[in-house]
């Protein structure tokens, strides 16, 4: 194997939990329905689900567990027809395989108000207990004796799409998973997050909808809210997920303790709250919720007042892994300029990013920026020939290839052509709109599904900044390390990002404790050197938090001052820390 010795096995935690303080009950299986019935005391139980939940299975399970109750599937009873919904959201979906336009619809627009009223009359006239279940169950105008939110993680939804699940009120189960993901990303999840955000303070119970319905887990709403409060007071980690790819490598198998029987792992989302989950330990049970719930429910505590004012309830910083060690090159790509993403897709900021090299072999490279003197018409023509399969694209003729070694940091503002080469382990530090990648050339490959991966040349060529040539790229985007402070046993360096990007990255080398301060804005860190460290509060504002090599962790704005202290025996440790520029408390 060509994997460097620095990738030796470590103690990477694949299932970090947030322990909920206090004493809270938790239920599982049949105990869930008994607890809800007892709490409702004969009144109406309303279970509002998330799109992609198995509502049919819930109806059957509740009818089995509560045979005297009337169970109503609100989606079947009152949602608009699939044809009407298609007409309402068609403009957001577009004909493109990957890209749509962000929806600003609300859930009530997908329901027939007269049929909702009919359901309410059915509840009023029922003999005995009624259970309403489905996405939008709370739209039925009846008082709820017991209100439940059945929440579902994005990664679980994606697995269900891949397994053949259709989108909400659609018959597209056999469609391309990318198209189903697009409908979720641009429409369903936008609507669903805004809907459930209004329920957080009202729910009596949180139902973990990620596992089988027969083995569902339930915790009180107070435990759910206490878990979010705990997470946004001190350091925490989201649950990473790993996925294979056509260019995937072997490094994460070694470091993260993954299944060696799998061919490769390409991606790890280690801090993308819109995609990742939180695990809340409530008593002896652990429930999974979307990490996005913390952003939606407690944005000021998590993000900081100034960052929240700038971005709203969105988490603007993303850390993820790109593993090409013993793999292949990523696709040659470019990200949209802010004006373009706003006009074309309805997003208000774009995917500026950077590559931080956690590891690399001696011959690793990063492709970055166009070569000085490259002819744009000839390059575009060669790209289109490659797209048609007529000839490979001669990357080295047009794009710079910079040698890449461990701890190098390459800055990639939107509009810059780029690509991580083979035999690298990249920690990608970027803004969050991760879906907006315009592939220009994919080395003649097909995806794992055997279908050519999407190429978006028209989008890409409309965004390439041709003046980012060899000289400009070398001066502005490569090796921009600057020492900004140092003390006894530590040194702080500014490694980026570029002045066009809103994220600031600082690296700390340390052999002893290093003091940090969130400055009123969220911090995201990764332990990029050393086996273990502990994050502590000098004010005892939170419990000590242990992190391991390559783990990404979030320090909420509300944490304030904190200290990172090495625990391992290595001669030195290092973290990289990202924050939003210009949002620090002054």
């Amino acid at each position: 194997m060509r994997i460097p010795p620095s990738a030796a096995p470590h103690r990477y935690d694949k299932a970090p939990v947030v322990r909920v303080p206090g004493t809270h009950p938790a239920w599982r299986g049949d105990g869930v329905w008994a607890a809800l019935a007892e709490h409702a005391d004969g009144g109406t139980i309303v279970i509002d689900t998330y799109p992609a939940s198995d509502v049919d299975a819930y109806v059957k399970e509740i009818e089995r567990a509560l045979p005297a109750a009337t169970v109503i599937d609100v989606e079947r009873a009152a949602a608009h027809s699939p044809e009407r919904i298609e007409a309402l959201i068609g403009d957001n979906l577009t004909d493109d395989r990957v890209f749509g336009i962000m929806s600003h619809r609300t859930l009530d627009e997908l329901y027939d108000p007269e049929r909702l009223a009919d359901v309410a009359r059915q509840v009023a006239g029922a003999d005995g207990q009624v259970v309403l279940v489905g996405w939008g169950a709370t739209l039925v105008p009846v008082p709820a004796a017991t209100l439940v939110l059945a929440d579902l993680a994005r990664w679980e939804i994606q697995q269900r799409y891949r397994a053949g699940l259709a989108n909400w009120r659609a018959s597209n189960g056999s469609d391309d998973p990318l198209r189903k993901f697009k409908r979720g990303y641009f429409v369903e999840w936008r609507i669903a997050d805004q809907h459930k955000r209004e329920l957080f303070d009202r729910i009596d119970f949180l139902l973990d909808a990620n596992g089988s319905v027969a083995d569902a887990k339930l915790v009180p709403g107070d435990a759910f809210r206490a878990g979010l409060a705990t997470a946004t007071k001190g350091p925490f980690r989201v649950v990473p997920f790993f996925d294979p790819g056509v260019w995937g490598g072997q490094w994460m198998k070694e470091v993260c303790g993954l299944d060696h029987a799998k061919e490769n792992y390409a991606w790890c989302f280690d801090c993308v709250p819109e995609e990742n989950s939180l695990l809340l330990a409530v008593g002896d049970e652990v429930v999974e919720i979307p990490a996005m719930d913390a952003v939606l429910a407690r944005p000021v505590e998590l993000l900081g007042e100034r960052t929240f004012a700038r971005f709203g309830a969105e988490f603007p910083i993303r850390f993820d892994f790109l593993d090409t060690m013993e793999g292949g090159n990523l696709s040659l790509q470019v990200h949209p300029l802010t004006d373009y993403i706003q006009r074309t897709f309805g997003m208000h900021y774009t995917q500026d990013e950077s590559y931080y090299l956690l590891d690399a072999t001696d011959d690793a490279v990063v492709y970055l920026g166009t070569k000085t003197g490259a002819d744009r018409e000839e390059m575009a023509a060669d790209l289109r020939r490659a797209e048609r399969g007529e000839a490979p694209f001669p990357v080295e003729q047009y794009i710079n290839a910079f040698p890449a070694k461990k701890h190098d940091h390459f800055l990639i503002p939107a509009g810059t052509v780029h690509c991580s080469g083979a035999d690298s382990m990249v920690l990608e530090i970027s803004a969050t709109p991760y879906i907006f990648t315009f592939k220009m050339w994919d080395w003649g490959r097909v995806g794992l599904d055997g279908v050519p991966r999407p190429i978006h040349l028209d989008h890409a060529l409309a965004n390439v900044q041709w003046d980012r040539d060899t000289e400009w790229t070398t001066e502005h985007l490569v090796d921009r390390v600057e020492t900004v402070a140092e003390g006894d046993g530590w040194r702080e360096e500014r490694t980026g990002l570029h002045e066009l990007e809103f994220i600031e990255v600082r690296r700390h080398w340390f052999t002893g404790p290093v003091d940090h301060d969130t400055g009123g804005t969220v911090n995201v860190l990764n332990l990029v050197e050393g086996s273990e460290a502990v994050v502590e509060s000098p004010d005892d504002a939170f419990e000590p938090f242990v992190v391991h090599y390559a783990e990404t962790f979030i320090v909420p704005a509300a944490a304030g001052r904190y200290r990172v202290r090495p625990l391992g025996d290595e001669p030195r440790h290092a973290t990289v820390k990202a924050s939003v520029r210009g949002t620090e408390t002054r």
Side-chain angles (χ1 to χ4, degrees):
M1 296 180 73
R2 299 183 63 202
I3 297 177
S6 52
H10 292 270
R11 297 172 58 191
Y12 185 93
D13 186 356
K14 298 187 291 296
V17 300
V18 174
R19 184 153 297 281
V20 178
T23 303
H24 301 276
W27 302 269
R28 190 170 194 157
D30 280 349
V32 167
W33 315 113
L36 294 181
E38 180 181 0
H39 184 273
D41 193 23
T44 301
I45 300 172
V46 178
I47 304 175
D48 208 314
T49 65
Y50 203 84
S53 296
D54 192 344
V55 175
D56 286 344
Y58 278 116
V59 170
K60 292 176 182 177
E61 185 68 11
I62 297 167
E63 287 177 338
R64 182 198 63 79
L66 306 175
T70 299
V71 185
I72 301 174
D73 178 341
V74 175
E75 297 176 7
R76 291 183 184 273
H80 283 312
S81 68
E83 295 76 18
R84 176 76 180 275
I85 293 171
E86 290 284 344
L88 288 170
I89 67 175
D91 288 345
N92 296 98
L93 297 181
T94 74
D95 294 328
D96 191 275
R97 185 182 175 196
V98 176
F99 300 120
I101 300 171
M102 288 293 183
S103 173
H104 296 287
R105 290 194 178 275
T106 54
L107 186 54
D108 61 290
E109 296 178 75
L110 306 184
Y111 273 82
D112 184 329
E114 293 184 4
R115 294 171 66 194
L116 286 169
D118 287 342
V119 175
R121 285 188 286 269
Q122 186 179 349
V123 173
D127 183 15
Q129 190 167 60
V130 178
V131 181
L132 302 178
V133 60
W135 184 31
T138 51
L139 297 177
V140 179
V142 295
T146 298
L147 177 57
V148 183
L149 171 62
D151 220 346
L152 189 59
R154 295 279 170 79
W155 183 232
E156 172 63 22
I157 295 173
Q158 292 183 55
Q159 300 311 299
R160 295 182 183 188
Y161 287 162
R162 293 178 186 181
L165 179 72
N167 286 99
W168 188 75
R169 304 285 291 164
S171 56
N172 63 347
S174 61
D175 277 7
D176 178 354
L178 286 178
R179 291 187 180 275
K180 291 190 280 187
F181 177 88
K182 177 185 72 171
R183 182 164 172 155
Y185 182 89
F186 285 96
V187 179
E188 292 172 0
W189 303 343
R190 304 304 125 198
I191 299 171
D193 281 357
Q194 292 309 309
H195 174 68
K196 73 175 179 179
R197 187 179 184 184
E198 302 302 319
L199 305 180
F200 286 158
D201 291 337
R202 298 166 45 200
I203 61 171
D204 299 299
F205 296 93
L206 185 284
L207 183 67
D208 180 348
N210 293 283
S212 70
V213 172
D215 196 34
K217 291 182 281 188
L218 183 80
V219 297
D222 285 345
F224 165 71
R225 288 181 284 268
L228 297 182
T230 300
T232 52
K233 287 179 182 176
F236 69 97
R237 292 187 61 228
V238 297
V239 182
F241 67 78
F242 304 85
D243 212 19
V246 294
W247 42 263
Q250 307 299 314
W251 192 93
M252 291 190 293
K253 287 184 185 179
E254 303 297 324
V255 172
C256 303
L258 305 181
D259 185 357
H260 279 66
K262 298 292 186 182
E263 183 176 349
N264 70 62
Y265 289 95
W267 304 89
C268 171
F269 280 15
D270 198 19
C271 179
V272 188
E274 183 168 308
E275 289 285 310
N276 292 114
S277 298
L278 279 177
L279 296 179
L280 302 182
V282 181
D284 294 330
E285 292 289 356
V286 175
V287 295
E288 181 177 4
I289 63 171
M292 193 65 187
D293 288 357
V295 185
L296 296 171
R298 303 183 69 87
V300 174
E301 295 89 342
L302 177 59
L303 304 176
E305 187 174 12
R306 292 168 66 91
T307 303
F308 176 50
R310 182 169 173 180
F311 293 96
E314 293 190 18
F315 198 91
I317 300 171
R318 180 185 87 171
F319 277 35
D320 62 90
F321 295 152
L322 308 172
D323 183 355
T324 68
M325 200 71 75
E326 297 189 3
N329 299 329
L330 270 66
S331 62
L332 189 69
Q333 58 192 240
V334 68
H335 298 298
L337 302 173
T338 301
D339 180 65
Y340 192 89
I341 202 172
Q342 288 175 347
R343 290 186 290 110
T344 311
F345 305 111
M347 289 290 295
H348 61 279
Y349 64 103
T350 192
Q351 187 172 324
D352 292 309
E353 66 182 25
S354 66
Y355 288 165
Y356 188 94
L357 272 293
L358 281 179
D359 227 331
T361 60
D362 292 339
D363 55 354
V365 299
V366 166
Y367 296 95
L368 188 64
T370 55
K371 282 190 173 179
T372 299
D375 186 287
R376 67 179 68 184
E377 280 84 20
E378 289 182 4
M379 177 172 157
D382 280 344
L383 284 166
R384 295 199 184 279
R385 278 191 287 271
E387 183 183 21
R388 294 192 297 267
E390 297 172 3
F393 177 67
V395 176
E396 289 76 10
Q397 179 178 331
Y398 295 105
I399 309 300
N400 303 302
F402 292 95
K405 63 183 186 300
K406 184 175 181 177
H407 292 305
D408 281 350
H409 197 185
F410 297 87
L411 316 181
I412 314 172
T416 309
V417 179
H418 63 282
C419 167
S420 175
D423 293 320
S424 298
M425 182 61 206
V426 171
L427 170 63
E428 187 176 52
I429 302 172
S430 74
T432 305
Y434 65 94
I435 195 175
F436 297 97
T437 296
F438 302 145
K439 294 184 180 69
M440 306 171 73
W441 165 241
D442 201 26
W443 312 91
R445 299 176 297 211
V446 297
L448 295 179
D449 56 4
V451 177
R453 301 172 78 208
I455 299 293
H456 288 91
L457 271 185
D458 289 339
H459 285 312
L461 293 172
N463 285 276
V464 172
Q465 300 300 285
W466 299 97
D467 58 345
R468 294 179 189 171
D469 57 12
T470 306
E471 289 75 24
W472 191 93
T473 301
T474 302
E475 179 181 355
H476 294 280
L477 305 183
V478 179
D479 193 26
R480 303 294 296 162
V481 177
E482 170 192 359
T483 298
V484 294
E486 52 189 323
D488 184 16
W490 61 270
R491 182 173 78 252
E492 179 181 1
E493 298 170 336
R494 182 179 185 274
T495 70
L497 298 187
H498 186 262
E499 61 185 12
L500 296 176
E501 305 177 71
F502 66 75
I503 296 174
E504 177 76 11
V505 177
R506 300 291 177 95
R507 178 171 59 202
H508 289 79
W509 298 100
F510 55 100
T511 57
V514 183
D515 288 326
H516 297 254
D517 194 321
T518 65
T521 188
V522 66
N523 290 185
V524 181
L525 299 90
N526 187 285
L527 185 65
V528 297
E529 186 80 17
S531 60
E532 194 173 41
V534 62
V535 187
E536 300 168 319
S537 169
D539 308 315
D540 295 323
F542 54 81
E543 294 294 321
F545 185 80
V546 175
V547 296
H548 307 100
Y549 176 64
E551 290 180 354
T552 297
F553 58 101
I554 299 168
V555 182
R561 296 192 302 149
Y562 62 100
R563 179 175 298 130
V564 181
R565 178 167 56 85
L567 292 179
D569 295 330
E570 295 82 2
R572 65 175 183 172
H573 288 61
T575 58
V576 291
K577 176 176 70 175
S579 60
V580 177
R581 286 195 187 119
T583 56
E584 303 87 350
T585 302
R586 291 179 172 84

